[in-house]
Amino acid sequence: MAAPSVGLGLSGNHIVQLLGDEKLVTAWDQLPLAFSVIGIDQLDDRAGEAAHVAFDGSAAAATLMARTTSARVLIAAPPRRDHPYNLARRTASLGHLSAGRTGVVFGLPRHSLGEIDPWVRGRDDAEITRHHCVAAARAVRDLEQSWPLDSVIGDRETGIFVRSDRIQHVDIEGVYPIAGPLTIPEPPFGPSALAWWVGRDGPAPTADVIDAVDVVLGDGTTPSLGVDEIPAHGVDRVVLDAGPDTDVADVLSVARRLLTDTAAHTDRALSLRAVLGTSVPSRRRSRPAFPVPQPHPWL
């Protein structure tokens, strides 16, 4: 039976340590990990504790991607923090910056329940929160695919830089009404990989969740491990979640030991989508956002 690959769960405290130590960044980048979840504590109860650092995951990821060559990350997107349009714009930018090494992980943290959603009016409970997260995930995917990268042709003979008729409105209704399109072309490796974090004792993903994302993490097939736990047989990957009170150097040490004794090395040259084993989703057809471009008359 094949050995599982290893992902890391990094909290805000871990990211602060990484950002302040170039040697730690290099050590992290050189490990043959499958991926790291940036801000895993934002997807469970820990983010509400005073001792834990809150940060913008996309800003941290942008800095870390610029300082690494192989590390792959999934950025935690807790409900009620970002409007999907803003999240999609930052996610697409990271996809270009990282050459396909970044994605987004959604989830249903218990600490978020009972808070007010700044983007949506209405009742607030677990079911509604899940519905909002699913709607956000679908919006991010549709927005990232609204401007095909191969529409950028740069034709000097006609003066047409972009086949703008191929840029589409997303026309999303429901929780987050969005006309679109996104103002950034699709990343070179396709739309960013999307995941859903279940975590320990979390509810099983429903059908709408599975349909909205590429992969589910933290469930029975991708369990979360503590520092003293050994991966169970028959799982494809594990997520090492050492807890925010463990120094990131110790987290890397445990991961290194797992990769030496138990787990499989992941090719450091692969994109995040290739590592997760997910295909590029079909592009949803919609109305064009612009007319067919015409050659410039003076050319």
Side-chain angles (χ1 to χ4, degrees):
M1 186 173 294
S5 59
V6 178
L8 286 189
L10 299 176
S11 70
N13 292 357
H14 296 143
I15 300 306
V16 170
Q17 293 175 47
L18 274 178
L19 292 173
D21 191 327
E22 196 65 34
K23 291 183 179 179
L24 286 176
V25 173
T26 300
W28 172 58
D29 188 38
Q30 291 178 346
L31 282 177
L33 297 163
F35 56 84
S36 297
V37 178
I38 299 291
I40 195 170
D41 52 330
Q42 297 183 36
L43 297 174
D44 59 28
D45 288 332
R46 292 173 295 188
E49 299 177 10
H52 297 105
V53 178
F55 65 94
D56 183 275
S58 58
T63 303
L64 290 170
M65 291 299 95
R67 294 163 60 181
T68 57
T69 59
S70 302
R72 292 169 286 255
V73 301
L74 286 159
I75 303 154
R80 301 170 181 78
R81 179 178 175 86
D82 297 302
H83 190 280
Y85 193 93
N86 293 333
L87 179 61
R89 183 166 50 189
R90 295 202 301 269
T91 301
S93 298
L94 283 170
H96 286 277
L97 172 66
S98 68
R101 293 187 286 138
T102 55
V104 182
V105 55
F106 297 86
L108 184 59
R110 292 184 297 275
H111 71 78
S112 71
L113 300 182
E115 295 179 3
I116 297 174
D117 191 326
W119 311 110
V120 180
R121 295 180 180 179
R123 183 171 55 91
D124 190 36
D125 58 22
E127 182 179 351
I128 295 298
T129 300
R130 189 198 77 248
H131 181 56
H132 291 181
C133 289
V134 168
R138 288 175 173 162
V140 168
R141 173 172 289 168
D142 288 347
L143 283 163
E144 280 201 292
Q145 292 187 296
S146 64
W147 182 348
L149 182 62
D150 60 5
S151 69
V152 182
I153 58 174
D155 188 343
R156 293 187 177 185
E157 292 185 3
T158 62
I160 296 175
F161 179 62
V162 177
R163 289 290 308 273
S164 52
D165 57 308
R166 296 188 57 208
I167 302 174
Q168 300 183 19
H169 286 288
V170 291
D171 291 331
I172 297 172
E173 300 179 354
V175 178
Y176 302 103
I178 303 172
L182 202 61
T183 55
I184 299 171
E186 188 177 43
F189 284 82
S192 303
L194 304 183
W196 184 272
W197 178 253
V198 174
R200 303 191 185 203
D201 303 321
T206 52
D208 58 343
V209 167
I210 295 172
D211 180 66
V213 300
D214 298 297
V215 64
V216 174
L217 303 175
D219 61 350
T221 59
T222 308
S224 173
L225 296 182
V227 292
D228 298 323
E229 296 182 274
I230 299 174
H233 293 290
V235 297
D236 295 329
R237 60 180 73 91
V238 296
V239 178
L240 176 61
D241 181 8
D245 296 328
T246 305
D247 286 342
V248 70
D250 294 332
V251 176
L252 298 180
S253 178
V254 173
R256 191 175 295 107
R257 186 173 68 249
L258 275 175
L259 291 163
T260 301
D261 299 339
T262 309
H265 289 204
T266 303
D267 187 343
R268 296 171 62 234
L270 295 176
S271 69
L272 177 60
R273 185 172 288 280
V275 167
L276 295 175
T278 62
S279 58
V280 175
S282 300
R283 194 183 307 276
R284 186 167 66 89
R285 297 185 63 84
S286 184
R287 61 192 175 99
F290 304 100
V292 176
Q294 301 298 318
H296 285 288
W298 59 82
L299 294 178

